[in-house]
Amino acid sequence: MEAALCVPRCMPDPWLNKLSALAPLTAEERHALAGAATRTVVVRAGQDIVAEGRPVDACHVLLDGFAVRYKLLPQGRRQIVHFGLPGDALDLDAMITGRLDHAVGAVRRCHVAVLPHGALHDLSGRHPGIARAFRCESVLDSAISREWVVNVGRRSSYQRIAHLLCETFTRLRATGHASDEGERAFDWPLSQSELGDATGLSTVHVNRMLQQLRAERLIGPRSDLITILDWPGLQRAGTFDPGYLIQDWRQARGSGAAESIVRAEAPDGSHTRRERPCPGRVG
Amino acid sequence: MEAALCVPRCMPDPWLNKLSALAPLTAEERHALAGAATRTVVVRAGQDIVAEGRPVDACHVLLDGFAVRYKLLPQGRRQIVHFGLPGDALDLDAMITGRLDHAVGAVRRCHVAVLPHGALHDLSGRHPGIARAFRCESVLDSAISREWVVNVGRRSSYQRIAHLLCETFTRLRATGHASDEGERAFDWPLSQSELGDATGLSTVHVNRMLQQLRAERLIGPRSDLITILDWPGLQRAGTFDPGYLIQDWRQARGSGAAESIVRAEAPDGSHTRRERPCPGRVG
DNA sequence: CGCGACCTTGAAGAACGTCAATGGTCGTGG
DNA sequence: CCACGACCATTGACGTTCTTCAAGGTCGCG
């Protein structure tokens, strides 16, 4: 009762809103999920929210802040594999596995709701809507993960950074964490070194590509706030197609689909080898 | 009745075996799942099993063959984001979304069981074990996907190829599709161009790295069959740690965990920046 | 025999990493 | 108040990795 003021929200409302957008939740289900949160913790910037490999017995939901899922490699190298944004469950998979194959770190001060697995399993068994919502969030994470493979695998450094900015802006906007009227902008707590860890690039090269994006007036000059000066231009620069982030599956399933933007590839349903020119990145 | 002989198996047994290894399935659940398969189709090498973006109303389970999930980029470039091996559900996510954000192609002739979403949703709602098994397979796919991000993001070309071979062998061995006594070997239907699409490399460079792996006597000389001559050596070459593929979650959850191999990173639970040397790949 | 798909090789160049140094900002302690 | 150190952004020079381009070789198949 005395600690009710120390954090902006003690209920996992951002998460409930995200889940509701993915799958319909009844008022009862929302209330039950909110009641599963036993506590809220504040994690300092640079600290781990979940350590790699350690057993986990609760889900962590990001209420506020910026988190990354990352894996460490020999010789101190690191690859960030996912951005955790407000409203995201950071370790939903651990409900199944009981541990994570990667770590979750706080890029800046994070407010995290803790929801024990036991309670979530109970709810998931009793409420089909909740079980479905969990699977929806999992599916969305998978789609993002696949796109990250494409990003680091087949895009130039310039495209990679532009694409990641487009993706992050789109995700933040969906939950109301990016301003969208007039000037598009969002807080950016990542250092250039961390952005390199997310894109598979060196710090120096990240710096040069950011300068190029700024020189072309696609983004603003500040490093702690991404201002998108030319949204269509930035999407072009990153060859960004938000189709994989679309969450209106209920609508998309029934209708004939008009939600994707570019989607104009070979309509014949074949990928025989002789038709493709050659692999490799294009600068 | 007349087509019963045309395919080796008409029941999705390899999939049931995989699911059973992930989560306990009762005999009744196995039987119910097997009954959900309405037909088996044979897809020729080079053809798509599921086209990108098209509505899907059934799950496709690979009984035999080798499939890839891939995304196309402008100018004919391609990134393969997943290998579909016998026993894998190729498009489980589409149960939720009703469509795929990527295509699924047959690398060589594939036998595919078709299980309509309606029936799977029914079973998933009636049998908690089935619902859990679906989520388990999803979680495993996610873990693999994250490791692919690491692979293309932070490993050298040589390491990437070695790692992918290690992963594929480990997955095939788990389902009995790779020989393990005496000589370790498995069928390899991918061309060097396709291997480049999976690792984010050019065909030419894939060729040179494969030659290096062969010259170092880590793998055999044949291009249609990977023979692992030095399994510890190949794991070292790819910095391969199978921890993310471990499927014994029921055991792993309770015990203190001794299943991982390397797992000897910073035990302090912090990743403050000044401690890491520098990002980037190492050859 | 000719064609297409694939593997292989060489040479040249672009993209990106590494090394090293500079300056800026901020918080801390004297 | 200033000095100091940590972290970060930035810049230049240089080296490596990887791509691109081009050509030749093998094999299976019509």
Side-chain angles (χ1 to χ4, degrees):
Chain A
M1 194 177 282
E2 75 288 1
L5 298 174
C6 65
V7 294
R9 319 198 201 202
C10 288
M11 302 294 265
D13 293 358
W15 189 43
L16 297 181
N17 292 336
K18 179 188 173 187
L19 289 180
S20 298
L22 292 172
L25 286 180
T26 66
E28 185 191 352
E29 286 167 340
R30 288 177 61 99
H31 187 261
L33 271 177
T38 56
R39 63 201 175 97
T40 300
V41 299
V42 179
V43 182
R44 292 198 313 275
Q47 294 299 116
D48 275 353
I49 299 172
V50 185
E52 179 175 346
R54 212 86 58 89
V56 188
D57 60 0
C59 273
H60 298 81
V61 170
L62 188 63
L63 304 178
D64 186 65
F66 199 116
V68 291
R69 303 193 211 170
Y70 68 91
K71 287 189 162 195
L72 292 174
L73 289 94
Q75 293 152 13
R77 286 173 296 159
R78 182 168 78 137
Q79 176 69 45
I80 292 173
V81 296
H82 190 81
F83 286 170
L85 307 182
D88 288 347
L90 299 173
D91 51 4
L92 208 52
D93 287 1
M95 250 184 86
I96 300 294
T97 60
R99 73 189 63 238
L100 284 185
D101 60 337
H102 57 276
V104 182
V107 173
R108 65 177 179 84
R109 164 183 270 247
C110 285
H111 295 258
V112 177
V114 180
L115 298 90
H117 288 163
L120 294 181
H121 276 123
D122 281 354
L123 293 177
S124 177
R126 266 205 298 276
H127 300 280
I130 291 179
R132 184 183 174 84
F134 287 174
R135 229 182 127 193
C136 284
E137 176 152 24
S138 213
V139 164
L140 182 57
D141 276 7
S142 291
I144 294 172
S145 195
R146 280 189 294 270
E147 190 62 34
W148 279 48
V149 174
V150 175
N151 208 35
V152 289
R154 280 294 185 222
R155 279 195 264 260
S156 71
S157 56
Y158 175 80
Q159 293 174 314
R160 272 184 233 187
I161 292 173
H163 191 280
L164 188 55
L165 294 180
C166 288
E167 177 186 291
T168 305
F169 171 69
T170 303
R171 289 178 60 199
L172 285 171
R173 186 176 51 178
T175 56
H177 287 85
S179 71
D180 195 11
E181 69 280 355
E183 205 157 51
R184 297 166 221 260
F186 53 98
D187 285 330
W188 185 253
L190 290 178
S191 70
Q192 295 181 354
S193 161
E194 290 165 322
L195 181 52
D197 284 341
T199 51
L201 299 168
S202 68
T203 306
V204 172
H205 209 65
V206 166
N207 180 286
R208 294 189 166 120
M209 293 303 105
L210 280 176
Q211 285 183 54
Q212 190 176 337
L213 289 170
R214 293 199 263 251
E216 291 166 352
R217 314 238 82 223
L218 299 177
I219 60 173
R222 287 178 57 182
S223 65
D224 60 340
L225 178 89
I226 299 292
T227 307
I228 299 178
L229 304 176
D230 179 358
W231 178 225
L234 190 64
Q235 288 176 289
R236 266 194 309 275
T239 62
F240 176 69
D241 174 358
Y244 69 103
L245 289 174
I246 296 294
Q247 305 178 6
D248 278 340
W249 296 323
R250 284 163 292 167
Q251 293 180 25
R253 183 185 297 188
S255 76
E259 78 280 9
S260 190
I261 291 184
V262 178
R263 208 55 47 78
E265 236 75 62
D268 54 286
S270 159
H271 69 279
T272 47
R273 294 158 194 174
R274 58 194 161 285
E275 304 172 21
R276 290 176 301 101
C278 208
R281 296 169 192 143
V282 168
Chain B
M1 196 177 281
E2 74 286 2
L5 299 174
C6 64
V7 293
R9 319 198 201 202
C10 287
M11 302 294 265
D13 292 358
W15 190 43
L16 297 182
N17 292 337
K18 179 188 174 187
L19 289 181
S20 298
L22 292 172
L25 286 180
T26 66
E28 184 191 351
E29 287 168 339
R30 288 176 62 99
H31 188 261
L33 270 177
T38 55
R39 64 202 174 96
T40 299
V41 298
V42 179
V43 181
R44 293 197 313 275
Q47 294 299 115
D48 275 353
I49 299 172
V50 184
E52 179 175 345
R54 212 87 56 90
V56 188
D57 61 0
C59 273
H60 298 80
V61 169
L62 188 63
L63 304 178
D64 186 65
F66 199 115
V68 291
R69 303 193 210 169
Y70 68 91
K71 288 189 162 194
L72 291 174
L73 289 94
Q75 293 152 13
R77 285 172 298 160
R78 182 167 78 137
Q79 176 69 46
I80 292 172
V81 295
H82 190 81
F83 286 170
L85 307 181
D88 288 348
L90 300 172
D91 51 5
L92 208 52
D93 287 0
M95 251 183 86
I96 299 294
T97 61
R99 72 190 62 238
L100 284 185
D101 61 337
H102 57 277
V104 182
V107 174
R108 65 177 179 85
R109 164 184 269 248
C110 285
H111 294 258
V112 177
V114 180
L115 298 90
H117 287 164
L120 293 181
H121 276 123
D122 280 355
L123 292 178
S124 176
R126 266 205 298 276
H127 300 280
I130 291 179
R132 183 183 173 84
F134 287 174
R135 228 182 128 194
C136 284
E137 176 152 23
S138 216
V139 163
L140 182 57
D141 277 8
S142 292
I144 294 172
S145 196
R146 279 189 295 269
E147 189 61 35
W148 278 48
V149 174
V150 175
N151 207 35
V152 289
R154 281 293 185 223
R155 279 195 266 260
S156 71
S157 56
Y158 175 80
Q159 294 174 314
R160 273 185 233 186
I161 292 173
H163 191 279
L164 188 55
L165 294 179
C166 289
E167 176 186 291
T168 305
F169 171 69
T170 303
R171 289 178 59 199
L172 285 171
R173 186 177 51 179
T175 56
H177 287 85
S179 71
D180 196 10
E181 69 279 357
E183 204 158 49
R184 296 166 222 261
F186 53 98
D187 285 330
W188 185 254
L190 289 178
S191 70
Q192 295 181 354
S193 161
E194 289 166 322
L195 181 52
D197 285 341
T199 50
L201 299 167
S202 69
T203 307
V204 171
H205 208 65
V206 167
N207 180 285
R208 293 187 170 124
M209 293 303 104
L210 280 177
Q211 285 183 54
Q212 190 176 337
L213 288 170
R214 293 198 263 250
E216 290 167 353
R217 313 238 83 222
L218 298 177
I219 60 174
R222 287 178 57 181
S223 65
D224 60 340
L225 178 89
I226 300 291
T227 307
I228 299 178
L229 303 177
D230 179 358
W231 178 225
L234 190 64
Q235 288 176 289
R236 267 195 307 275
T239 62
F240 176 70
D241 173 0
Y244 68 101
L245 290 174
I246 296 294
Q247 304 177 7
D248 278 339
W249 295 324
R250 285 162 291 168
Q251 292 181 24
R253 185 186 296 188
S255 77
E259 78 280 10
S260 191
I261 290 183
V262 178
R263 208 54 47 78
E265 237 75 61
D268 55 289
S270 159
H271 68 280
T272 46
R273 293 158 193 172
R274 58 194 162 286
E275 305 173 20
R276 291 176 301 100
C278 207
R281 295 169 192 143
V282 168

